[in-house]
Amino acid sequence: MNIKTSAYLRSAAFGVLAVITASTAAVATAQAADISGAGATFPYPIYAKWADAYKKETGVGLNYQSIGSGGGIKQIKAKTVTFGASDMPLKPEELDEAGLVQFPMIMGGVVPVVNLKGVTAGAIKLSGTVLANIYMGEVKKWNDEQIKALNPGVNLPNTAIAPVYRSDGSGTNFLFTDYLSKTSPKFLTQIGANTSVQWPAGIGAKGNEGVANMVKQTEGAVGYVEYAYAKQNNIPFIALQNKDGKVVEPKIEAFQAAAANADWANAKGYYVILTNEPGAASWPITGASFILLHKQPQDAAATEAALKFFSWAYKSGAQAATALDYVPMPDNVVAMVQKTWAEQIKADGKAVWTAAAK
C-alpha cells in the first residue's frame, strides 16, 4: 500500500473528514461539486484510492466521513449527506420505509488478527465456535485446550486473551457477529448479530483503525478488521476453519470463492450476506459494502454526481480494488445496479441516471 493511502488511513483514525484533493489549482473550482458521503470504515481504503484517481481525472472530489456503518445509515436518513455507506445491508422493508435505494459497491473480507509474541500470520487456526467462545469470555488463555486442539505442534503461551471489539455501530461488527451467530448457537442466543451488540468481555475501540491500533498495542489481543487494515498495520491474521471444514487464509481468491454463489438477481434490495458460505476455498467472513441513496433526492445534481463517481469506480476501479484485496462487483451485477438507478432514483418524476448522465 502506498504512502498516500497510509496517510488516509491515519487521518480517518482520528475522525478527520477525508477530503481527497488533487492539485491546488483544482480545489477552488471543484469544491462546490465535491460529493459528500459517510459510513463504513470497511471500504474506506478503496474509496480513498478511487477518490484520488477520480479527482485527478475529473476535478470532482469526495468528502467521505469514515465513521462506521451505523453513522452512515443515520446520516443518509437525516439527509445530511448525498450517500451513506454500510456493510450491513438494510432489509427491503427498512429501505422502503426510509425511501432509500441500496446497491453493493465492493466486496471484501473481515479477518481476525492477533498480537502474540513470536506468532506469524496464519500460524494460529481457529474455528467459528472457538472464536465465539473467546468473545463470550469463556476461553481466557491462548493455551486453552480448545485452541490447542486446533493447533497441534504450535507452542501456545499461557498468555491472557484480550478480545478487542468495535465499540461503534458498524457493518464490520455485523459481519463478524453474523458469522459467530451462524457457527455458535450459544453466541446467537446470548449475543446475536447486529451492528452494535453487548459484548460480555474485552476492550472496545472505534473503527477498523481503532481496533487495528488497539491490537497492535496489546499483548495477547485478538481483534477483527477489514483485510486492508490488517495488511496496512502488519498485524498477523488468524486462519479460520470454514463451513466445509477446511482451514483457509484470507486472500482475494478466498473472498471471490465465498462471493461466487451470491444470488444478486433474486435478492430484493440486493440484500445478500456472504458469511459462512459453502465451498472448500471460501473465506467465512466475507461481505459486501453497500451504498444508500434516496429514491427522491433533495439535490438531484449531487446525486447524479455521486452516481457518475460510482459508475466510474465500477468501470475503472477494479485494478485498484484487487491491489488492496477487495473483490470488484461482477459486470452482470453492475448492469443490474445501473438499471436500478435508472428505474428507482427520480427527481420531479424524471430519472436522475440516464444515458446522458453516463
Side-chain angles (χ1 to χ4, degrees), residues 299-341:
D299 188 336
T303 296
E304 182 182 333
L307 291 174
K308 285 182 177 179
F309 170 73
F310 298 136
S311 178
W312 174 92
Y314 279 142
K315 182 180 178 181
S316 304
Q319 185 175 353
T322 53
L324 292 176
D325 295 285
Y326 290 94
V327 180
M329 299 308 301
D331 290 343
N332 67 316
V333 178
V334 172
M336 283 189 278
V337 166
Q338 293 186 329
K339 186 170 184 284
T340 298
W341 295 350

Side-chain angles (χ1 to χ4, degrees), residues 12 39-45 64-72 85-88 110-111 135 163-177 194-199 201-215 222-227 229:
T41 63
F42 177 96
Y44 178 72
Y64 182 73
Q65 300 174 58
S66 177
I67 58 173
S69 298
S86 175
D87 307 324
M88 181 189 74
V110 173
V111 304
Y135 272 87
V164 180
Y165 58 83
R166 284 285 292 272
S167 59
D168 53 326
S170 76
T172 304
N173 254 351
F174 171 74
L175 292 173
F176 188 67
T177 56
N194 212 326
T195 55
S196 183
V197 299
Q198 288 296 116
W199 296 102
I203 307 164
K206 188 174 181 181
N208 272 287
E209 308 92 341
V211 172
N213 289 333
M214 184 63 72
V215 171
V222 60
Y224 51 94
V225 294
E226 192 278 316
Y227 186 51
Y229 290 85

